[in-house]
C-alpha cells in the first residue's frame, strides 16, 4: 500500500515537476518535501491541504488512497453567472475570470445570507471589476 | 458533547483536519488551534499582549487585515490591491459591504499573484463602520479562526450566515483564542482577586487590557473562566415555544383574545461549567417573573443597569412548575431591546 509521501511523489512526477517546483508552489521547504516523500517525516493537515491543492488531489486520496470522484480540472459555471454572461455578451474567458475572482473570497460572514455562487449579483460584481478585465 | 459538536459540518471539518475518532470534535478542533498558537508563541519566547499575539498569529498564517472605517477606505484598498497588486476582486469591496439587505462583517480573500513568502497571501477585510465597530475585535479573531482551521483553503467560496454551524464554531474558536489563556488568565485572576462575585465592573476592567474587545465578548470569556457557578442570560419579549411555532406556520386566530401573547423570557441561557456541576439551572425560554430585577430593569427605560437579590423559586414555567428555591445575586444591563444578566448563587 502506498504512503502519503509516495502518492505525492507519484503525482509530482506525473506532472513533470521537480521537488523545487512543488515545494515552492506549496509553500514548504524542499528538504521537508524530500523527507515527506521518503517517509521520514509526517505532515499536518494544514500542509497536506496546501500540497493537495497544488497537486489537484483530494485529502481523501492523499491520506487513504481513495481515487477522486471528479475530474479536478472540470469547471462548473454557476447558472446565474452563465445567464448574466450571455446577457452581457461576455466571453467564456471573461466569465471564468469573474468566477475565479469570486472564488478568491473564501469566507464571507453576513447576518442573513446562505447559499453559494448563485446568490451573487454578477451584474454589480462585473461593474466593479470590468476596468480590470482583459 | 455540545449540540455544535454533533453537527455534520463540524464533524466533517474535524475529519478534514485529521481529527478522526474524537469524542468531541469542537474540543478537538479548539485543541488543534491552541496547539498551533502555543507553538508559535513558544518559538518567539512568549507574548504578553493580545495585540502582539494577533500580529504573531497573522504573520504565521500569512494574513493581513484591512479595515473599512469610512468610504475612502474602499478606494484605498482598491488602489493597493486591485491596481497595485493586480487582484481585481478587491475592487468589489464597496458593493459587498454596502449591501444593506445583507450586512457583512468580514470577508477573507485569498490573493492571486503571491509567492509563498508573502505575508499578505490572505487578506481579511473587516467592516468597522457604525455599529459594526463593536464587533471589530471579534471579527478579526473570527477570520483568524477560518485560517487556523484551514477551512478557508477549500475550493469554493462560502457564504454563511452567523447561525451556520461552521460560523458558530469559528465564533467559539475566536472567543477562546482571542482571550488566549496565558494572557487572559492572569488578567482575570488579578481582577477577581478578593472579589466574591463576577461583576460588570470587573469585566470592564479586564476589557481594558484587551484593546477593542467588546463588553459582551469579554463577559463571555469571564463567565467561561469563572470557577464559581454563574448563568449568563439574555431576556427579551418572545412567545412560548409552541406559540412561536404556530406563528411561524402562519396560524390565524379568529379572536384577538386567543392570540398568543409575548412575554419577557430568558431567550438565551448559558450556564458555565461550575453552574452545570452545581445544578444551577434556568430553563431556556422560561418567563422572567415580574418581581425579578431583570423584569423591573426591562420596564424602567430610565435605568441602564441594576443589581440585586432574587429567589429562583419565584421563576415559574408555563405549566405552573417552579424552579427550586435558591437565593441568587443578579446583575443586569439593558442592551437595545434586551436585558443581559449574570445570575450567581448567594451561597
Amino acid at each position: 500500500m502506498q504512503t502519503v509521501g509516495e502518492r505525492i511523489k507519484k503525482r509530482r512526477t506525473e506532472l513533470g515537476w521537480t521537488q523545487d517546483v512543488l515545494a515552492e508552489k506549496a509553500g514548504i521547504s524542499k528538504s521537508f518535501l524530500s523527507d515527506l516523500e521518503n517517509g521520514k517525516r509526517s505532515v499536518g493537515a494544514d500542509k497536506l491541504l496546501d500540497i493537495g491543492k497544488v497537486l489537484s488531489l483530494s485529502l481523501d486520496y492523499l491520506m487513504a488512497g481513495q481515487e477522486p470522484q471528479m475530474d479536478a480540472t472540470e469547471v462548473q459555471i454557476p447558472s446565474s453567472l452563465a445567464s448574466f454572461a450571455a446577457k452581457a455578451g461576455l466571453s467564456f474567458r471573461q466569465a471564468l475570470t469573474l468566477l475565479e475572482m469570486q472564488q478568491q473570497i473564501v469566507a464571507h460572514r453576513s447576518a442573513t445570507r446562505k447559499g453559494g455562487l448563485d446568490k451573487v449579483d454578477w451584474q454589480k460584481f462585473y461593474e466593479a471589476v470590468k476596468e480590470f478585465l482583459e | 458533547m455540545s449540540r455544535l459538536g454533533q453537527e455534520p459540518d463540524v464533524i466533517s471539518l474535524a475529519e478534514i483536519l485529521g481529527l478522526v475518532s474524537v469524542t468531541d470534535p469542537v474540543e478537538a478542533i479548539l485543541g488543534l488551534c491552541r496547539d498551533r498558537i502555543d507553538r508559535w508563541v513558544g518559538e518567539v519566547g512568549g507574548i504578553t499582549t493580545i495585540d502582539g499575539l494577533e500580529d504573531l498569529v497573522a504573520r504565521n498564517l500569512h494574513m493581513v487585515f484591512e479595515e473599512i472605517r469610512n468610504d475612502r477606505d474602499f478606494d484605498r484598498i482598491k488602489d493597493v490591491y486591485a491596481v497595485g497588486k493586480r487582484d481585481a476582486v478587491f475592487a468589489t469591496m464597496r458593493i459587498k459591504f454596502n449591501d444593506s439587505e445583507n450586512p457583512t462583517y468580514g470577508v477573507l480573500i485569498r490573493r492571486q499573484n503571491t509567492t509563498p513568502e508573502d505575508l499578505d497571501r490572505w487578506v481579511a477585510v473587516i467592516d468597522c463602520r457604525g455599529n459594526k465597530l463593536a464587533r471589530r475585535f471579534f471579527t478579526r479573531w473570527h477570520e483568524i479562526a477560518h485560517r487556523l482551521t484551514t477551512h478557508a483553503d477549500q475550493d469554493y467560496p462560502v457564504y454563511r450566515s452567523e447561525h451556520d454551524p461552521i460560523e458558530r464554531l469559528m465564533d467559539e474558536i475566536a472567543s477562546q483564542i482571542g482571550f488566549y489563556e496565558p494572557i487572559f488568565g492572569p488578567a482575570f485572576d488579578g481582577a477577581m482577586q478578593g472579589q466574591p462575585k463576577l461583576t460588570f465592573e470587573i469585566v470592564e476592567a479586564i476589557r481594558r487590557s484587551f484593546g477593542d474587545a467588546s463588553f459582551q465578548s469579554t463577559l463571555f470569556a469571564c463567565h467561561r473562566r469563572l470557577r464559581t457557578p454563574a448563568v449568563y442570560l439574555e431576556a427579551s419579549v418572545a412567545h412560548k415555544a409552541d406559540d412561536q411555532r404556530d406563528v411561524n406556520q402562519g396560524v390565524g386566530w379568529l379572536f384577538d383574545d386567543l392570540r398568543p401573547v409575548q412575554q419577557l423570557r430568558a431567550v438565551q441561557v448559558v450556564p458555565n461549567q461550575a453552574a452545570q456541576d452545581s445544578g444551577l439551572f434556568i430553563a431556556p425560554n422560561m418567563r422572567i417573573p415580574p418581581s425579578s430585577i431583570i423584569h423591573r430593569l426591562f420596564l424602567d427605560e430610565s435605568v441602564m443597569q441594576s443589581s440585586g437579590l432574587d429567589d429562583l423559586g419565584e421563576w415559574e414555567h408555563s405549566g405552573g412548575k417552579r424552579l427550586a428555591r435558591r437565593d441568587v445575586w443578579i446583575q443586569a444591563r439593558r442592551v437595545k431591546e434586551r436585558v443581559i444578566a449574570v445570575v450567581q448563587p448567594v451561597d
Side-chain angles (χ1 to χ4, degrees), chain B residues 22 25 30 66 84 107 114 167 192 202 224 230 258 274-275 280 286 313 331 334-335:
Chain B
V22 293
L30 276 166
E66 292 291 351
V107 296
T114 58
E167 295 304 308
M192 284 296 291
I202 291 174
R224 187 174 51 240
L258 294 179
L280 177 62
M286 83 180 296
Q331 191 172 29
R334 177 191 299 284
V335 181

Side-chain angles (χ1 to χ4, degrees), chain B residues 19-151:
Chain B
L19 304 166
V20 289
S21 304
V22 293
T23 50
D24 185 340
V26 174
E27 273 309 311
I29 292 169
L30 276 166
L32 180 83
C33 294
R34 285 194 209 101
D35 288 348
R36 293 185 77 184
I37 294 177
D38 288 347
R39 194 175 71 240
W40 296 329
V41 169
E43 284 168 3
V44 297
I47 285 284
T48 55
T49 68
I50 204 69
D51 288 344
L53 180 72
E54 190 195 83
D55 282 347
L56 175 74
V57 171
R59 210 165 44 244
N60 275 280
L61 294 170
H62 293 254
M63 173 183 186
V64 296
F65 292 95
E66 292 291 351
E67 294 187 340
I68 311 287
R69 292 189 176 261
N70 55 55
D71 273 10
R72 288 190 301 279
D73 284 323
F74 290 122
D75 298 327
R76 179 182 58 77
I77 289 171
K78 180 178 169 182
D79 284 345
V80 170
Y81 294 98
V83 178
K85 301 189 177 188
R86 294 176 292 124
D87 258 321
V89 68
F90 287 91
T92 67
M93 293 299 103
R94 191 186 300 272
I95 57 166
K96 184 158 287 298
F97 285 102
N98 281 351
D99 182 353
S100 57
E101 287 177 14
N102 184 37
T104 297
Y105 308 108
V107 296
L108 183 63
I109 297 175
R110 179 177 50 218
R111 283 195 48 228
Q112 290 179 327
N113 313 317
T114 58
T115 68
E117 290 75 34
D118 286 343
L119 292 177
D120 60 352
R121 290 170 69 192
W122 302 82
V123 181
V125 184
I126 313 291
D127 194 350
C128 299
R129 296 172 299 166
N131 55 17
K132 290 179 185 170
L133 178 62
R135 301 174 76 139
R136 172 184 179 272
F137 175 87
F138 199 74
T139 306
R140 288 168 73 99
W141 282 102
H142 177 99
E143 300 304 336
I144 286 173
H146 273 294
R147 280 292 293 130
L148 271 173
T149 54
T150 69
H151 201 68

Side-chain angles (χ1 to χ4, degrees), chain A residues 24 45-46 49 53 59 101-113 115 117 124-125 128-129 131, chain B residues 16-17 36 78 87 96 102-103 105-110 116 150 152-153 155 157-162 171:
Chain A
E24 187 185 336
D46 52 344
L49 271 169
K53 183 172 285 298
L59 262 186
M101 285 180 195
Q102 263 295 333
Q103 288 179 336
Q104 285 182 257
I105 304 173
V106 290
H108 169 125
R109 190 189 194 219
S110 68
T112 53
R113 183 173 292 169
L117 291 166
K124 282 187 181 173
F125 191 80
V129 300
E131 64 184 290
Chain B
I16 288 172
L17 293 170
R36 293 185 77 184
K78 180 178 169 182
D87 258 321
K96 184 158 287 298
N102 184 37
Y105 308 108
V107 296
L108 183 63
I109 297 175
R110 179 177 50 218
T150 69
D153 288 345
D155 286 340
V158 193
Y159 291 82
R160 297 198 190 89
S161 80
E162 56 192 342
D171 280 349

